[in-house]
Amino acid sequence: MTHDETLKGLYDNTIIGKASIVKELTEQGIAAGMNPLDILYKGLIPALQEVGRRFEIGDFFVPEMLLSARAMQGALT
């Protein structure tokens, strides 16, 4: 898996709250030599920004936000 594919997977799966996949992709990225700051600033944070945007326009609600936050938290532990 390329670094770009890993970042795309992190982004997509953080948005939908798939914590186990986000954790796995993070571990794979680190093992493949990705910069942890790239994982954070190019994958995880943009995903949470998108979740916030969707919340603002009424597409997401608090439960979806919590799932996304937990997915990101799993990547950081």
Side-chain angles (χ1 to χ4, degrees):
M1 182 176 282
T2 68
H3 293 297
D4 287 340
E5 290 171 336
T6 300
L7 291 172
K8 175 80 168 119
L10 286 166
Y11 179 85
D12 292 341
N13 287 289
T14 300
I15 289 174
I16 60 174
K18 298 291 185 180
S20 61
I21 296 172
V22 172
K23 184 173 180 72
E24 181 180 321
L25 287 170
T26 301
E27 291 170 353
Q28 288 175 2
I30 297 293
M34 287 181 71
N35 183 338
L37 292 177
D38 286 344
I39 291 171
L40 184 61
Y41 289 108
K42 294 181 181 178
L44 299 172
I45 290 175
L48 286 187
Q49 290 171 330
E50 176 62 16
V51 169
R53 187 192 70 76
R54 291 182 187 188
F55 178 76
E56 286 178 2
I57 63 173
D59 285 347
F60 271 23
F61 300 97
V62 172
E64 289 90 357
M65 290 181 67
L66 289 174
L67 286 173
S68 297
R70 286 186 184 143
M72 183 172 174
Q73 180 182 16
L76 299 176
T77 57

